[in-house]
Amino acid sequence: MPVDTEPASPNAEAFPTDPTGLPQSRPTAVVELADGERFELSIEPVATQIGEHTVRMLGYNGSVPGPTLRVPEGGEIRVKVTNRGDLDATVHWHGLRLDNAHDGTHETQKPMAIGESFEYRVLCPDPGVYWYHPHIREDYGQELGLYGNIIVVPRDPAYWAPANRELAITLDDILIEDGKIAAFLRDDTTHAAMGRFGNVMLAAGKTNLALSAKRGDVVRLYLTGTANTRVFNVGFDGARMKLVGGDSGRCEQERFIDSVILAPSERAVVDVLFDRDGTALLEHRTPDTTYSLATVVVGGETDDLTPQLAFERLRTSPELAELRERIAPRRGAAADKSLAFVAEMDFAPPEGPLVYVCPMHPLVVREEPGSCPQCGMKLMPEGAPVAYTCPMHPEVVSEQQGKCPQCGMKLMPASMAAGGGSHHHGHDEPMEHHGHSGHDEHAHDAGSSHGRAHGDGIEWEDDMVEVNRTTTPANIRWKLVDRQSGAENRKISWEFRVGDWVKIELVNEMDSDHPMHHPFHVHGAGRFVVLDRDGIEEDNLMWKDTVLVSRGQRVNILLQVTNPGRWMAHCHIAEHHESGMMFTFDVVAS
């Protein structure tokens, strides 16, 4: 039965937004923890400065991001979490292959009610950068600031090339309306179609991250995509950058790059050489816009030239080179499992004569139902317009849809041309950005060193703002579908054994009511490598737990199964996950 497209009732209970009386958020601490050490973490509301506004957020230990935990490779720490937040909570230790009972989902523990605590045993077997975040109402908790990094320090001091210093930076955006974080309903997830895009960019929790470096410094940056849905393409203007690692440790071949693409929950490790005095800018670059994320003031000369000399050398990972040879027979083999990404949208049509319009391309108007020829999205019903006009020449008005006699542009419904349509940014806070348009021909995915054309299958912005805010799990159903059994989401039933190597084909269907990209995440049952994308072999292996599957793309991954238990796999767009785009699978001991 079609459902109404009206937004949820204004009387529906929302989470609080008033920061009055809350403690000010603290700077993010870096905490060195030894093997076996115990640490306390608290979820609590804080008042945080976002641009000109003081807003109510949630922090771990009073900071956004939460503390950066540095743990030795192979170490296990005990983290006692106390929930002083707004709702039941768990903490998921993203990317770590740990004991299933401490994965931090409702499948593996009783959620902490407000006032309750839970002690996690967090095992850190693999060097690299990981993070922690909620796994109940991720859409709310992550937007409010509940995320923090874990850096697993390798045993081998030569695992990474030398650097003058290291820094963890989370990449996020946040939606501010009327001086507050845009409201969340307690009982429903909104923005379910595209995910909740923000209108303010955050790097390490700040709108104006200010850093400094000496000329000749090499700074290792651990970058983590913590946004609900936004894909970041980050690079430096005024510094050189080298990709050295990804989700879980180093990459097979270090590469000099101009930028790196990070979907929600993906990580990249980059070494950055600041080789001249002045200002360097960390930027997010889309095909249309460049956003400034951080400013690095470079001055003075470094005291240690060793990292700068090492920067010019592109190192190879021997264990990943060996892995490439070992997995070669699996490349041509049939997939063990095949998973499709699909959306179903169902909107109640208004009364009277109808036309069908694409929310993302409102110039696409049809008299019959169908799909948008530009993006494949299901056309939505709207009341037939009483007049058509030219967006460029509004004095041109016609009772019939045709072309403008002055410029030849297709006429569109007058209500849309006047700004009543959905294809515009409806937020009251403008996106802050600077400079130039265009795209970077040398960008690299954190999981791939072959360039992917920017804008090809990635939704860089919310192009259907007004429609998106009204979408909930009631009118859009995001589905993961087992292409062999037909089972969907929670009905998928997979079982593996410890020691298995499982080839999984991921197919982002164009035959879907809303084709768009999806970052697919597998919890700590193991780790995987990407074998190929659209038949093109991955030429730079790295261990991953999340892979971005662009619209219409087919990706093959090879999962190494190492840990028994019940594990989740899901889309890491928070609103898609909360809309049901997830399943669990079982791993039994060998």
Side-chain angles (χ1 to χ4, degrees), residues 156 224 245 252 272 280 333 335 354 384 400 404 431 470 477 494 585:
D156 179 1
T224 304
E252 182 183 10
V272 184
L354 300 175
Q400 304 295 324
C404 174
M431 291 291 283
T470 69
R477 293 176 295 280
W494 290 357
F585 62 95

Side-chain angles (χ1 to χ4, degrees), residues 571-586:
C571 175
H572 219 285
I573 292 176
E575 288 75 16
H576 293 183
H577 171 255
E578 295 298 327
S579 299
M581 200 174 193
M582 58 81 63
F583 67 98
T584 58
F585 62 95
D586 293 314

Side-chain angles (χ1 to χ4, degrees), residues 138-158:
E138 284 184 47
D139 60 321
Y140 174 65
Q142 283 179 210
E143 176 82 348
L144 269 285
L146 289 177
Y147 47 80
N149 276 124
I150 303 170
I151 307 299
V152 180
V153 181
R155 294 190 191 96
D156 179 1

Side-chain angles (χ1 to χ4, degrees), residues 48-69:
T48 305
Q49 195 70 25
I50 301 292
E52 299 177 353
H53 306 296
T54 300
V55 299
R56 184 187 191 278
M57 298 186 74
L58 293 172
Y60 289 116
N61 286 9
S63 68
V64 178
T68 298
L69 309 180

Side-chain angles (χ1 to χ4, degrees), residues 483-544:
R483 298 175 78 233
Q484 291 149 325
S485 71
E488 301 175 358
N489 291 343
R490 290 183 176 275
K491 294 184 178 179
I492 293 174
S493 179
W494 290 357
E495 182 176 289
F496 308 128
R497 302 184 72 84
V498 170
D500 284 349
W501 290 80
V502 184
K503 184 175 180 178
I504 304 174
E505 178 188 52
L506 306 173
V507 183
N508 196 343
E509 298 282 8
M510 286 300 293
D511 185 14
S512 171
D513 288 348
H514 184 190
M516 72 172 288
H517 65 262
H518 296 281
F520 179 69
H521 171 52
V522 179
H523 281 223
R527 53 187 180 171
F528 63 80
V529 292
V530 176
L531 294 175
D532 59 74
R533 303 169 190 259
D534 289 333
I536 300 174
E537 182 177 334
E538 191 77 354
D539 66 353
N540 196 6
L541 294 180
M542 60 188 75
W543 288 112
K544 294 185 63 62

Side-chain angles (χ1 to χ4, degrees), residues 112-136:
M112 294 172 283
I114 297 172
E116 292 184 344
S117 300
F118 185 89
E119 184 165 291
Y120 294 92
R121 294 200 336 267
V122 182
L123 179 64
C124 301
D126 307 303
V129 54
Y130 306 89
W131 65 301
Y132 55 95
H133 62 79
H135 224 275
I136 294 175

